[in-house]
Amino acid sequence: MEPMQCNVCATTLGDPIYSSETDYSLSSLCQVLETKASVYQCRCCGHIQSTELKNVTTFYDINYPILVSSEEEDQIYETIDGQPVFRTQHQVRTLVRKVKLDNQTLLLDFGCAKSSTIKALVTSGINIVPHAFDVSDRYVEFWRSFIRPENWAVYEPRPEWKHRFDLVTSFFSLEHIVEPSQAVQTISSLLKDGGALYGIVPNVFSNIADLIVVDHVNHFTASSLSHLLLSNGFGVEWIDSESHRGALVFMARCRGSTFPQKTETIPSTETVVQENTAALKIAEFWKSAGNRAREFEEACAGEPFAIYGAGFYGAFLASNLRHPERATCFVDQNPFLQNKQLMSRPIFSPDALPGHVHNLIVGLNPAHSKSIISNIAAFRARNLRYFFL
Ligand SMILES: [Zn+2]
């Protein structure tokens, strides 16, 4: 196999910092895929990257139905006083707070899927001129309600879009792109001189699950993100790790032909070493989680076991077992998951955990797992042996 190269700075990468031990990996939508994940880090620019999914084009065009089942479907970002704040809503608020927009702003949402953020922006009464671009035509029906047909493009940006836009937005898209430098160059060619790129990418240091989701080929660090932008025609205005939990929000300005080209792009060695060390720690956490789950599986020695948690952590632990098909069931308190299936195993409420199961693998964020389990009344009277992360 040819040595891997950094997607950002083309440095040859060393051995992986994480490799899945089983044949299964998780996608960012918690789908279990039959593929191995390997994660690498770059000692030059700090970038963290995963091996590309096979048939990656097909995977996105056909098999990546992010929230298309209904117009209103959205992910909850946080709950304030019992009221859910949806991710789209939060993204609109952050964009409006951070960027000056008016009814002349020619805005292109790049790699935009449904472009829900821009739709919500327009619906909230902020008048910009919206444009959309994606590599799949499955979203055209969503765009139709707020974008004029001549203002969207599928597969390739329109030729007449060269140097047209004031603002390009990219909401959770660059992490999927195998050649991010090319994408950023394309974006630069679509912007007016001095136009801005506003983007959001996951931040693996505040959302450690991002390291092992197999469809995120890029896990940007502050260093690798600035390197990407600086080396492809942009000046970096700011990178903000506070405004969106688990993500980096950034703003970069297209230097264009009339702006001086900056040559110094390599991030400081000290920062890169810090990022490398932090990434190794996260890789160690997941490696040890997988190993310990398999040890527990072995210790069950054929006795029935169940997996608590049908979300990311539960699916991760299940996909790391030698024989996940031997799990009696998953258990989850979320009524929307109950009576559905994960990895062909049923999902039950805690009350419905069959009486003959005495072993429970707890797949929850370790920061909260013990208190969550101790609050489940149905488990108190039972003689359960627990595995905690
Ligand atoms: Zn690099």
Side-chain angles (χ1 to χ4, degrees), residues 226-227 230-231 255 261-268:
S226 15
H227 187 89
L230 291 169
S231 54
R255 288 202 202 94
Q261 299 298 307
K262 202 175 161 191
T263 49
E264 181 56 53
T265 64
I266 305 278
S268 86

Coordinates of all heavy atoms in Angstrom, one line a residue, residues 226-227 230-231 255 261-268:
S226 N -6.1 26.4 9.5 CA -5.5 27.6 9.0 C -4.5 27.3 7.9 O -4.4 28.1 7.0 CB -4.8 28.4 10.1 OG -4.6 27.8 11.3
H227 N -3.8 26.2 8.0 CA -2.9 25.8 6.9 C -3.7 25.7 5.6 O -3.2 26.2 4.6 CB -2.1 24.6 7.3 CG -1.1 24.2 6.3 ND1 0.2 24.7 6.4 CD2 -1.1 23.5 5.2 CE1 1.0 24.3 5.4 NE2 0.2 23.5 4.6
L230 N -4.8 29.2 4.5 CA -3.7 30.1 4.1 C -3.0 29.6 2.8 O -2.5 30.5 2.0 CB -2.6 30.2 5.2 CG -3.1 30.9 6.5 CD1 -2.1 30.7 7.6 CD2 -3.2 32.4 6.2
S231 N -2.9 28.3 2.6 CA -2.2 27.8 1.4 C -3.0 27.8 0.2 O -2.6 27.4 -0.9 CB -1.5 26.5 1.7 OG -2.5 25.6 2.2
R255 N -8.1 36.4 -0.8 CA -7.1 37.4 -1.1 C -7.2 37.8 -2.6 O -7.0 39.0 -2.9 CB -5.7 36.9 -0.9 CG -5.4 36.8 0.6 CD -3.9 36.9 0.8 NE -3.5 36.3 2.1 CZ -3.2 35.0 2.2 NH1 -3.1 34.2 1.2 NH2 -2.9 34.5 3.4
Q261 N 0.1 37.8 -1.7 CA 0.1 36.4 -1.3 C 1.0 36.2 -0.1 O 2.2 36.5 -0.2 CB 0.5 35.5 -2.5 CG -0.4 35.6 -3.7 CD -1.8 35.2 -3.4 OE1 -2.1 34.1 -2.9 NE2 -2.8 36.1 -3.7
K262 N 0.5 35.7 0.9 CA 1.3 35.4 2.1 C 2.0 34.0 1.9 O 1.4 33.1 1.4 CB 0.4 35.3 3.3 CG 1.1 35.6 4.6 CD 0.0 35.6 5.8 CE 0.7 35.4 7.1 NZ -0.2 35.2 8.2
T263 N 3.2 33.9 2.3 CA 3.9 32.7 2.1 C 4.0 31.8 3.3 O 4.0 30.6 3.3 CB 5.4 32.9 1.5 OG1 6.0 33.9 2.4 CG2 5.3 33.4 0.1
E264 N 4.1 32.5 4.5 CA 4.2 31.7 5.7 C 2.9 31.0 6.1 O 2.0 31.7 6.5 CB 4.7 32.7 6.9 CG 4.9 32.1 8.2 CD 5.9 30.9 8.2 OE1 7.0 31.2 7.7 OE2 5.6 29.8 8.6
T265 N 2.9 29.7 6.0 CA 1.6 29.0 6.3 C 1.8 27.9 7.3 O 0.8 27.5 7.9 CB 1.0 28.4 5.0 OG1 1.9 27.4 4.5 CG2 0.8 29.4 3.9
I266 N 3.0 27.5 7.5 CA 3.1 26.3 8.5 C 2.8 26.8 9.9 O 3.4 27.7 10.4 CB 4.6 25.7 8.4 CG1 4.9 25.4 6.9 CG2 4.8 24.6 9.3 CD1 4.4 24.1 6.4
P267 N 2.0 26.1 10.6 CA 1.7 26.4 12.0 C 2.9 26.2 12.9 O 3.8 25.4 12.5 CB 0.5 25.5 12.4 CG 0.1 24.7 11.2 CD 1.2 24.9 10.2
S268 N 2.9 26.8 14.0 CA 4.1 26.6 14.9 C 4.2 25.2 15.4 O 3.2 24.5 15.7 CB 3.9 27.6 16.1 OG 3.2 27.0 17.1

